[in-house]
Amino acid sequence: MSRQPEYDVRHGRFKIQSLLLGLLAFTLIGSTVTLTWVSVHRQNETLTRTTLQKNFEAARNLAISANTIKSLMFKSLENAAQYFNEERLSAGADSARMLDVLLLGSGLFNGAMMVAGDGEVLVSTSGSGFAAGERLDAAALALNARNAEPEMSEPFAAPDGHRVVLAVYPVTSGYSRTDVYIAGLIDLQRSNVFSDMFAHTIKSDPGTYAYLVDGSGEMMMNAQASRAVEAVPAKTLLAAFRGEGTDAPDRLGAPPPPPGRDGPETGMQGAPDARKAPAQSVGDDRPVPRAAILADGRGLPSLVGYLRVGELGWGMIVQSPVAVVDRAKRELLTTQLKWSVPLIAAFLLLSLWMSRMLSAPFSKLTAVARNIAAGKRLGHPPFERHWNYEAHHLAQAMITAMNGLQRQADEWGLRARTDHLTGLLNRKGLDDWLKARETEDPGAGYSLMVIDIDHFKRINDKYGHQTGDDTLVHLARMLKKACRETDLVCRFGGEEFVAVLPGEKLEGGYLLAERIRESVGNAVSPTGRPITVSIGIASFPDQGEDFEAAFRRADEALYEAKRAGRNRTMRSA
């Protein structure tokens, strides 16, 4: 008869496992690459919109802050003008000193002065850049003596070459001239509340560039001079936020194109779409687009947020280079790869593990069967439930048979450790308990009592062995009742019992032994009368280096009690 070829089942299994792993790896990696590509492109659009919105919100916050600062400036001018009117102060040193106190102390202005309607400087503070007698451009100041409200001038050049702006308020009394104004000077090229506001915006969002433009789109204030080249040209701003071509207005903040015309929704020709969001303005109900992608001074695309500052006609510009979005996109891709690569590896390892799990339960059941056949005790079944149908039912059948066998073995073991008459542990049970305690808590101290019934042979001879057995049971119950649950009480042999009291010192054990002796002597036994017991007590480790030594000392104390007349407790010396 020819020999049948042996097939390597394991080899075949690994081929299937390799196929499954390859298919899963292709699926995982392919889907991850596809999803990452789609996600990056979608995130690019989202990041662009988010950055445009963020820059607009930053411009909006700047505009709100600028309006608040303007209101504070105008209120300071109004209070100063009221003071000058009430005190009827004339132009002179006192006026200059009061201007310094009333206007410069708040830190809102770089300088202060009093000017006439024709532009003549009447009084000025130090640091204003103007001296008394100099003449300003009255047209630039846009002074209106009939208007008793504060006004803000157009930017103009100071004697030192700096561009400045004046906030003016008329003074109505105390002068021979009727058109006299108190003016607070804001130097657009020096540090002031406005430059601090822009510097804070730039610092709070690295990469962002913020500056102030006038109504024609020309830069008024730049808190970061090294980045002036990045500023968007005025023509581009006008085209983006108010229209393009010959029909475009010549000022930012002018009315939008009439209905029916194509509104300015793109930043520059060929550039990506601008934000097509509801137009907004601070202090003005005329709409302007919020944000757009525009070419900066270097020709590079920037994400620009703009908002006009109400009546002032100024424009707040906050822009970020498109490179900010590219950097965020790279960071997103890096983050996705950091998460996806370990996850793919984890899924592949999980798949490998699952394939091995297909055969693992049968290997475990085989090992269990071999152990049972060898007569070894099995502490725990390999598993109680399994997702594999065949493995689950085989395991259930094996567990049922194994539990039955082990239950019988446990019952036999318990019988071997238990005294069948009293139900207490026997000497073997005591030995097992001591071994377990030595393993769990080696060296822990305890007291040891050896109890013996006095004249037990007489009880057997006089009342019979059944009464003698009942007497042993009677004493066992009393010992069990008197001791704690953590104490061990066993029948050591014949009429001799042993009690181990964990954690109890010799004196505490002696007191318990006396209570037991007295209670036994006062209780009616199966003989119809009380019995007496003698007790010897010792402690470990004070009176013995191990249990055997402590037991000998307690046994010696027991015999000392017997020799002393019985019915007494003796401590080991």
Side-chain angles (χ1 to χ4, degrees):
M1 183 177 179
S2 62
R3 182 179 181 184
Q4 296 293 329
E6 294 182 0
Y7 296 98
D8 190 347
V9 180
R10 190 191 315 182
H11 179 69
R13 184 191 66 190
F14 274 110
K15 282 186 176 180
I16 295 174
Q17 182 181 15
S18 299
L19 179 61
L20 290 174
L21 286 175
L23 178 62
L24 183 59
F26 175 79
T27 303
L28 285 174
I29 296 174
S31 60
T32 301
V33 170
T34 302
L35 291 175
T36 301
W37 183 83
V38 173
S39 174
V40 168
H41 279 73
R42 291 294 299 169
Q43 286 296 328
N44 183 60
E45 298 176 2
T46 302
L47 288 170
T48 299
R49 288 196 300 268
T50 301
T51 305
L52 285 170
Q53 179 66 25
K54 174 180 67 69
N55 287 348
F56 165 73
E57 293 295 339
R60 179 176 178 272
N61 291 334
L62 288 173
I64 292 173
S65 299
N67 262 327
T68 302
I69 293 172
K70 180 201 72 173
S71 300
L72 293 173
M73 288 179 172
F74 285 177
K75 187 64 178 178
S76 297
L77 290 173
E78 182 182 0
N79 292 337
Q82 183 179 356
Y83 179 82
F84 273 69
N85 289 334
E86 292 175 354
E87 299 296 327
R88 307 183 66 83
L89 296 177
S90 60
D94 291 340
S95 297
R97 186 169 59 255
M98 290 310 301
L99 286 175
D100 197 324
V101 172
L102 294 174
L103 296 181
L104 302 189
S106 62
L108 294 173
F109 301 102
N110 296 107
M113 62 184 72
M114 296 182 67
V115 296
D118 58 1
E120 180 185 354
V121 178
L122 303 178
V123 177
S124 66
T125 61
S126 60
S128 65
F130 292 90
E134 291 185 356
R135 191 171 298 275
L136 308 179
D137 183 358
L141 294 178
L143 300 177
N144 185 358
R146 291 173 298 176
N147 185 7
E149 297 297 326
E151 296 183 20
M152 192 73 74
S153 75
E154 295 288 339
F156 62 95
D160 58 3
H162 288 195
R163 297 189 74 194
V164 298
V165 172
L166 290 181
V168 298
Y169 195 90
V171 180
T172 58
S173 61
Y175 302 94
S176 59
R177 308 175 62 168
T178 59
D179 53 346
V180 176
Y181 300 84
I182 291 179
L185 181 140
I186 306 162
D187 191 330
L188 300 177
Q189 294 175 248
R190 288 170 56 191
S191 178
N192 52 55
V193 287
F194 287 107
S195 65
D196 293 343
M197 180 178 67
F198 283 103
H200 174 74
T201 299
I202 295 171
K203 184 178 180 181
S204 62
D205 189 2
T208 296
Y209 180 38
Y211 52 94
L212 177 68
V213 299
D214 59 18
S216 62
E218 296 294 337
M219 183 181 292
M220 289 177 56
M221 177 176 287
N222 177 20
Q224 204 170 9
S226 62
R227 298 181 64 179
V229 68
E230 300 179 29
V232 178
K235 183 179 179 181
T236 304
L237 289 174
L238 289 172
F241 297 116
R242 276 296 173 236
E244 300 182 20
T246 57
D247 294 332
D250 61 353
R251 289 178 61 84
L252 288 166
R261 296 179 55 183
D262 294 334
E265 298 293 353
T266 58
M268 57 179 177
Q269 294 183 358
D273 249 356
R275 287 279 297 179
K276 298 180 181 179
Q280 295 188 14
S281 175
V282 174
D284 191 352
D285 58 358
R286 292 172 294 181
V288 291
R290 300 198 298 183
I293 301 179
L294 306 176
D296 63 15
R298 303 165 300 175
L300 301 177
S302 289
L303 308 171
V304 182
Y306 163 81
L307 193 63
R308 180 188 174 202
V309 187
E311 300 173 353
L312 298 178
W314 301 347
M316 297 294 178
I317 303 292
V318 179
Q319 67 185 61
S320 303
V322 172
V324 171
V325 174
D326 295 336
R327 183 167 60 251
K329 185 168 61 176
R330 287 194 299 271
E331 291 175 354
L332 173 65
L333 179 60
T334 302
T335 301
Q336 287 183 336
L337 290 176
K338 286 181 179 178
W339 281 96
S340 60
V341 170
L343 285 176
I344 291 175
F347 277 120
L348 291 176
L349 291 174
L350 178 63
S351 301
L352 177 61
W353 174 76
M354 287 297 294
S355 65
R356 291 182 177 177
M357 286 294 291
L358 287 170
S359 60
F362 300 101
S363 299
K364 292 180 179 178
L365 291 174
T366 301
V368 170
R370 289 175 178 175
N371 288 335
I372 293 176
K376 295 180 181 179
R377 176 182 177 85
L378 187 64
H380 298 283
F383 51 85
E384 295 182 358
R385 296 180 179 87
H386 202 276
W387 53 269
N388 185 292
Y389 179 83
E390 290 80 4
H392 173 76
H393 287 280
L394 285 173
Q396 292 297 315
M398 184 171 290
I399 289 172
T400 301
M402 180 185 65
N403 287 340
L405 292 174
Q406 290 190 355
R407 188 162 42 250
Q408 291 182 1
D410 291 341
E411 290 176 358
W412 293 339
L414 181 61
R415 291 177 183 177
R417 297 191 305 272
T418 305
D419 176 55
H420 70 281
L421 176 64
T422 62
L424 301 177
L425 291 181
N426 56 21
R427 188 164 185 172
K428 184 180 185 308
L430 172 63
D431 292 339
D432 292 344
W433 186 88
L434 290 171
K435 290 177 183 178
R437 177 175 175 79
E438 182 65 25
T439 302
E440 295 173 359
D441 192 7
Y446 53 82
S447 290
L448 174 66
M449 289 192 296
V450 180
I451 306 111
D452 188 83
I453 300 176
D454 295 333
H455 303 296
F456 183 70
K457 186 175 183 304
R458 295 180 183 178
I459 295 175
N460 278 333
D461 294 341
K462 182 176 180 180
Y463 299 100
H465 289 283
Q466 181 61 46
T467 302
D469 291 346
D470 293 340
T471 302
L472 292 174
V473 173
H474 165 72
L475 178 59
R477 290 174 181 170
M478 296 195 69
L479 291 175
K480 196 70 175 175
K481 182 178 180 181
C483 293
R484 302 168 300 184
E485 292 184 0
T486 56
D487 298 336
L488 173 74
V489 181
C490 74
R491 183 184 176 192
F492 200 71
E495 69 273 23
E496 193 172 68
F497 293 81
V498 171
V500 182
L501 315 175
E504 195 69 70
K505 296 292 186 180
L506 182 65
E507 191 61 33
Y510 175 78
L511 295 176
L512 175 61
E514 276 295 281
R515 288 198 299 272
I516 292 173
R517 186 185 63 79
E518 292 176 0
S519 63
V520 170
N522 293 326
V524 178
S525 72
T527 64
R529 58 194 304 176
I531 61 173
T532 62
V533 294
S534 299
I535 303 175
I537 184 168
S539 66
F540 169 83
D542 297 336
Q543 295 176 307
E545 59 184 10
D546 54 20
F547 174 80
E548 295 299 333
F551 179 81
R552 286 196 299 270
R553 299 294 295 273
D555 198 46
E556 292 172 359
L558 169 66
Y559 282 100
E560 183 66 26
K562 293 282 188 180
R563 286 193 293 269
R566 294 183 174 82
N567 191 21
R568 65 191 63 222
T569 300
M570 296 294 290
R571 286 172 286 200
S572 175

